[in-house]
């Protein structure tokens, strides 16, 4: 019967749970019921820049949805429009603007509105942050710039090379200019660059850059500069089993074979099995890189079984420094939730017959 | 016009239901959605009792559309199952958020404990 076959397919292809196969249809749990029992999150490491956590019990589709949202759909602030008043540096305006756009801006996107699409949209204090950059390399009369003074970002250089000195322009030279009520509204967390020492340009004597960068709220799928994470990735926890124990010298050999140091020796004492005394055990399965070196040759070939735990994800998020990784993760969940609620609204609107907008 | 000024146009419709045969087998078209929602929603719908078949596709990468094909048993129309699935996704998000909050506070506690220990030694 066709229906039975499809139901069987559902079970086989999705493999929600091992025990699924023995259940009758009436006993089958929905995904959320399953997650209520099984979902576990364990944070392995978390600081302002990086976060590693175990996501246990969830399906790959959910982990992947989170990853994709982290990379492309969590909003953040970045310079979008650059007004160039003066630029006599060797960088073209476009290149300079692009470099400015990529600088992570420390500002909470929750404090801003997105820019409405279309040419009619106007910049105001609720959707735009303004940063000014005015950097010039002016030498006083008679100064050669070659004296040994490295303050003020000026690189003194060896007189023998006869090269003109340079002045570096850094991200910290970007100065926030509050608009309207912004000064009081954002007083708690003053907008600034996340990393002050990013090199933007180098100036020779007499050159100048005077620009104004307008920050907007955006998402990574529009431009990578808006992505709040450097990387967000997951891998499955490796699971390494012994079909039968590896003992004695063979155990030493196995420990040596593994370049990641996954195995350890357990001392069984003199009276251990076969009098071998030592046994190989899996001590650090997380360090396993699945290089298969242990099953390629040597004692592990038919005794070590290399697998992965299908519902145990080791998730890692590396922030670019604008938003803490746990905050980005919470934002990502909110984005996914909003996707669903807005779709439910769109379905209701479609049902009433006024949905979806322009038909012709 | 520079390349930077090119912006992909948003989809004309956020949601559309294509009617082929009856209300138990439908293809839903989602505007401005992709694999992010497609695969996870498909997975959630697969876990529902009424679902006989569910699959998703993104017909063309430069078209902001995602299709979900949903066939249900006679007990519930496909549209209702889809709505249930979306509600379930919302629940999953809330559950994840809750579990994450707890994990973060556990972690903070654990960190505080370990600094205490370091202070003593």
């Amino acid at each position: 019967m066709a229906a039975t076959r499809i139901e069987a397919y559902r079970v086989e292809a999705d493999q929600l749970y091992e025990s699924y196969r023995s259940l009758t249809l009436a006993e089958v749990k929905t995904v959320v019921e399953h997650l209520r029992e099984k979902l576990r999150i364990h944070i392995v490491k978390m600081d302002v820049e990086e976060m590693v956590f175990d996501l246990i019990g969830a399906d790959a589709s959910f982990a992947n949805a989170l990853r994709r949202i982290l990379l492309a759909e969590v909003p953040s602030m970045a310079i979008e429009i650059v007004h160039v008043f003066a630029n006599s540096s060797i960088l073209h305006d476009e290149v300079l603007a692009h470099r400015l756009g990529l600088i992570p801006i420390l500002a909470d996107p929750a404090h801003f509105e997105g820019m409405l699409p279309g040419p009619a949209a106007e910049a105001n204090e609720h959707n735009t942050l303004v940063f000014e950059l005015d950097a010039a390399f002016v030498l006083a009369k008679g100064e050669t710039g070659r004296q040994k003074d490295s303050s003020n970002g000026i690189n003194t250089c060896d007189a023998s090379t006869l090269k003109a000195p340079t002045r570096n322009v850094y991200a910290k030279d970007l100065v926030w200019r509050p608009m309207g009520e912004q000064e009081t509204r954002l007083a708690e967390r003053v907008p600034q660059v996340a990393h002050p020492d990013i090199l933007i340009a180098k100036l020779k004597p007499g050159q100048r850059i005077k620009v104004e960068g307008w920050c907007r709220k955006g998402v990574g799928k529009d431009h990578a500069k808006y992505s709040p994470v450097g990387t967000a990735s997951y891998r499955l926890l490796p699971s390494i089993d012994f079909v039968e124990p590896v003992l004695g010298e063979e155990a030493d050999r196995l420990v040596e074979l593994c370049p990641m140091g996954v195995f350890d020796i357990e001392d069984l004492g003199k009276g251990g099995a076969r009098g071998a005394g030592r046994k190989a055990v899996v001590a650090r399965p997380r360090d396993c890189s699945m290089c298969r070196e242990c099953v390629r040759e040597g004692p592990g070939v038919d005794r070590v079984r290399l697998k992965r735990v299908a519902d145990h994800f080791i998730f890692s998020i590396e922030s670019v420094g604008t938003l803490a990784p746990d905050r980005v993760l919470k934002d990502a969940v909110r984005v996914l939730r909003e996707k669903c609620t807005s779709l439910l609204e769109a379905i209701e609107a479609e049902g009433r017959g006024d949905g979806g907008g322009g038909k012709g | 016009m520079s390349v930077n000024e090119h912006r992909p146009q948003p989809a004309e419709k956020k949601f559309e239901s294509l009617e082929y045969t009856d209300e138990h087998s439908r293809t839903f078209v989602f505007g401005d959605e992709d694999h992010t929602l497609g695969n996870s929603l498909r997975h959630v719908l697969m876990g529902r009792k009424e679902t006989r078949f569910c699959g998703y596709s993104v017909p063309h990468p430069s078209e902001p559309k995602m299709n979900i094909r949903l066939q249900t048993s006679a007990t519930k129309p496909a549209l209702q199952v889809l709505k249930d699935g979306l509600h379930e996704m919302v629940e999953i998000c809330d559950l994840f958020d809750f579990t994450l909050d707890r994990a973060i506070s556990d972690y903070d506690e654990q960190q505080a404990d370990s600094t205490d220990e370091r202070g003593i030694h």
Side-chain angles (χ1 to χ4, degrees):
Chain A
M1 204 173 76
T4 329
R5 231 176 30 231
I6 290 167
E7 274 147 18
Y9 159 81
R10 173 176 71 173
V11 173
E12 294 287 312
D14 236 33
Q15 294 208 345
L16 261 178
Y17 354 95
E18 284 291 309
S19 52
Y20 212 57
R21 248 161 276 177
S22 59
L23 295 177
T24 63
L25 199 61
E27 288 170 313
V28 168
K29 285 185 208 131
T30 62
V31 176
V32 69
E33 282 163 359
H34 170 73
L35 285 175
R36 279 219 179 86
E37 282 171 28
K38 293 283 163 68
L39 183 69
R40 297 280 177 277
I41 296 171
H42 175 247
I43 296 171
V44 179
K45 179 186 160 195
M46 181 169 71
D47 54 41
V48 285
E49 284 194 328
E50 205 190 348
M51 178 177 183
V52 178
F53 66 95
D54 287 6
L55 174 63
I56 306 157
D59 184 72
S61 65
F62 185 69
N64 198 40
L66 276 183
R67 184 192 62 85
R68 287 173 63 94
I69 293 173
L70 284 166
L71 290 168
E73 291 182 64
V74 173
S76 76
M77 302 292 287
I79 293 177
E80 169 77 9
I81 290 174
V82 177
H83 296 269
V84 182
F85 300 106
N87 178 20
S88 50
S89 75
I90 58 158
L91 289 183
H92 299 158
D93 291 358
E94 295 90 329
V95 178
L96 181 66
H98 180 244
R99 289 182 74 77
L100 289 169
L102 294 173
I103 294 170
I105 303 286
L106 204 57
D108 194 335
H111 294 157
F112 298 92
E113 291 163 6
M115 200 69 179
L116 294 167
E122 265 185 34
N124 61 39
E125 57 169 302
H126 298 292
N127 60 22
T128 305
L129 264 180
V130 178
F131 281 90
E132 281 175 343
L133 174 65
D134 189 358
F137 188 4
V138 188
L139 286 179
K141 236 182 190 167
E143 223 178 354
T144 59
R146 298 209 179 93
Q147 56 273 49
K148 290 262 177 265
D149 173 22
S150 56
S151 63
N152 219 7
I154 295 172
N155 293 341
T156 53
C157 54
D158 193 351
S160 63
T161 62
L162 292 178
K163 275 185 191 158
T166 55
R167 193 201 138 170
N168 294 340
V169 182
Y170 292 106
K172 62 182 163 226
D173 296 323
L174 281 163
V175 182
W176 173 49
R177 194 176 84 206
M179 312 297 279
E181 302 278 291
Q182 279 180 353
E183 190 144 35
T184 47
R185 194 160 66 90
L186 306 174
E188 241 173 67
R189 206 177 152 189
V190 175
Q192 53 187 300
V193 291
H195 308 285
D197 289 331
I198 299 172
L199 182 65
I200 300 172
K202 290 190 174 194
L203 299 179
K204 289 285 179 192
Q207 293 183 341
R208 185 183 189 199
I209 290 174
K210 183 173 162 53
V211 295
E212 216 176 84
W214 290 16
C215 290
R216 297 272 158 84
K217 183 166 156 174
V219 290
K221 66 178 169 187
D222 190 29
H223 192 293
K225 69 186 174 188
Y226 287 119
S227 187
V229 293
T231 51
S233 64
Y234 58 81
R235 66 193 176 103
L236 288 170
L237 177 75
S239 116
I240 306 138
D241 301 335
F242 288 105
V243 180
E244 56 180 280
V246 177
L247 304 163
E249 301 212 329
E250 285 190 324
D252 296 331
R253 176 100 194 279
L254 188 65
V255 172
E256 271 169 42
L257 266 178
C258 178
M260 306 306 290
V262 168
F263 301 102
D264 259 356
I265 299 283
E266 193 180 274
D267 207 335
L268 296 175
K270 284 256 153 74
R274 291 184 218 162
R278 297 188 307 285
K279 182 183 155 193
V281 288
V282 181
R284 289 165 290 274
R286 271 169 184 283
D287 292 356
C288 178
S289 66
M290 288 278 164
C291 66
R292 307 186 61 76
E293 202 63 10
C294 55
V295 291
R296 203 170 56 84
E297 56 172 20
V301 174
D302 43 10
R303 277 180 275 176
V304 173
R305 214 194 272 147
L306 213 50
K307 292 185 294 184
R308 295 186 130 129
V309 184
D311 64 348
H312 188 135
F313 300 91
I314 302 172
F315 217 112
S316 103
I317 301 172
E318 222 176 273
S319 157
V320 292
T322 54
L323 296 169
D326 55 326
R327 162 75 195 277
V328 186
L329 185 58
K330 295 206 72 164
D331 280 3
V333 183
R334 213 196 53 233
V335 169
L336 184 58
R337 194 182 190 281
E338 274 166 17
K339 266 178 190 287
C340 299
T341 49
S342 76
L343 269 172
L344 279 165
E345 278 164 27
I347 293 171
E348 291 307 318
E350 157 92 14
R352 286 197 304 271
D354 57 30
K359 271 189 178 173
Chain B
M1 189 169 161
S2 70
V3 269
N4 287 330
E5 282 163 56
H6 169 77
R7 289 278 182 276
Q9 291 304 306
E12 250 178 52
K13 280 185 163 191
K14 192 91 180 71
F15 175 80
E16 198 179 354
S17 164
L18 303 182
E19 289 165 50
Y20 289 127
T21 46
D22 67 329
E23 58 179 3
H24 297 286
S25 42
R26 287 278 177 87
T27 299
F28 303 109
V29 184
F30 297 82
D32 290 324
E33 292 300 342
D34 53 14
H35 302 277
T36 305
L37 190 75
N39 195 16
S40 46
L41 186 57
R42 187 212 102 249
H43 176 252
V44 166
L45 290 172
M46 291 276 240
R48 296 198 76 87
K49 284 190 192 90
E50 306 86 7
T51 306
R52 286 224 170 132
F53 174 85
C54 186
Y56 88 100
S57 73
V58 177
H60 195 280
S62 58
E63 225 182 5
K65 275 181 187 168
M66 185 268 292
N67 294 344
I68 281 191
R69 174 70 177 170
L70 182 59
Q71 286 169 214
T72 57
S73 58
T75 49
K76 240 183 207 180
L79 186 69
Q80 189 53 49
V81 175
L82 177 74
K83 282 190 205 166
D84 293 350
L86 282 166
H87 281 296
E88 196 180 326
M89 277 290 281
V90 171
E91 274 180 70
I92 290 171
C93 289
D94 290 340
L95 177 68
F96 182 88
D97 207 40
F98 173 75
T99 318
L100 179 65
D101 279 340
R102 222 174 36 187
I104 289 172
S105 61
D106 282 356
Y107 180 78
D108 288 343
E109 246 169 61
Q110 190 194 319
Q111 290 303 101
D113 286 355
S114 63
T115 40
D116 283 352
E117 274 166 35
R118 252 181 273 141
I120 292 162
H121 293 306

